[in-house]
Amino acid sequence: MAETVDFASSDGEAWRAALAAYDRRLASLDKPDLLEADSFYRHDLPLMLRRRDPDPYLAKSELVQLLQWKLSRGKWRPRLMDFVKSLGDAVVESASRKAFAALPDLSKAITELTVLKGVGPATASAVLAAYAPDVAPFMSDEAMVASLGNTKEYTLKQYLAFAEKLQAKSKELSVGGEIFTPSDVERALWGSAIASKPVKKPASGKRKR
């Protein structure tokens, strides 16, 4: 079975195969640091946040690691990292507490996080997805193209349209007692997009990201 899927597909097996191929797609990028960052983002960070229930928050150091993951998996924007590193610990904890408390209201949760300098809707969505993958998918370029055909607008309005699409697909694919979260949909779409384009090898002598 092919391990790629189109957003319009209703084939549950195809979606599960695309999701199962995620780790291989990640490895195909040949970014060792990304593998470690992805493990932190998908496994370690959600556990840390859940242990802080009923009043979860994100520490500044965790936001830095999350941003490292986001930028490594997508386009590298060093200025964003500079902005986030300049944030105060208490400011990050306060904003994230308010955001998590606002869920499942995605509009309010995103707005609470984007008061932080360097944190736009896409980074905010990554924060929310780490805690509530069943509600908030990460706003990746690849999943945006697949579901909306547009990656140009990194706005709250665009994120809400994106999240609604992935939530609907999640419900469609969650049958027979098997849960397929909006975040699962995002990873399947991301992996499918990576599989469909050639891997670019960094030129020799080029500074690593």
Side-chain angles (χ1 to χ4, degrees):
M1 177 183 290
E3 294 178 337
T4 59
V5 71
D6 291 324
F7 186 76
S9 172
S10 298
D11 185 338
E13 286 190 22
W15 279 94
R16 286 190 292 275
L19 180 61
Y22 175 82
D23 286 335
R24 292 196 297 282
R25 303 302 177 215
L26 205 66
S28 75
L29 297 179
D30 196 25
K31 296 179 178 179
D33 290 348
L34 175 57
L35 298 180
E36 184 177 344
D38 191 79
S39 179
F40 166 79
Y41 177 73
R42 286 199 293 141
H43 303 299
D44 300 339
L45 183 58
L47 289 175
M48 291 177 189
L49 295 175
R50 286 296 173 186
R51 286 193 193 112
R52 294 171 188 154
D53 278 337
D55 186 27
Y57 64 88
L58 186 74
K60 175 190 167 181
S61 61
E62 293 159 0
L63 178 58
V64 170
Q65 286 180 273
L66 178 150
L67 186 60
Q68 179 75 36
W69 167 80
K70 174 184 176 284
L71 297 179
S72 297
R73 192 174 180 255
K75 294 177 182 177
W76 189 258
R77 297 179 175 94
R79 285 201 49 156
L80 293 185
M81 183 62 80
D82 291 341
F83 287 145
V84 166
K85 285 184 175 179
S86 71
L87 293 169
D89 293 356
V91 173
V92 173
E93 290 187 17
S94 175
S96 58
R97 270 196 171 96
K98 292 175 183 176
F100 292 139
L103 290 170
D105 184 338
L106 287 179
S107 179
K108 190 170 190 305
I110 292 285
T111 300
E112 294 289 2
L113 285 166
T114 53
V115 301
L116 300 171
K117 189 169 184 178
V119 175
T123 301
S125 74
V127 173
L128 299 178
Y131 179 71
D134 55 327
V135 176
F138 167 53
M139 191 184 197
S140 66
D141 290 349
E142 293 80 4
M144 288 265 286
V145 168
S147 60
L148 298 177
N150 187 336
T151 62
K152 302 298 183 185
E153 295 180 46
Y154 293 95
T155 62
L156 173 59
K157 180 180 178 181
Q158 188 80 338
Y159 177 68
L160 295 177
F162 168 75
E164 184 177 358
K165 282 262 194 180
L166 268 64
Q167 287 169 351
K169 181 60 67 174
S170 164
K171 289 179 182 177
E172 178 186 330
L173 296 171
S174 296
V175 293
E178 185 165 348
I179 303 300
F180 207 91
T181 69
S183 291
D184 290 334
V185 174
E186 187 279 325
R187 278 195 288 275
L189 293 173
W190 181 87
S192 295
I194 295 302
S196 68
K197 60 187 179 184
V199 177
K200 294 180 181 179
K201 297 290 184 181
S204 59
K206 187 176 180 181
R207 185 170 63 86
K208 291 184 179 179
R209 290 174 170 176

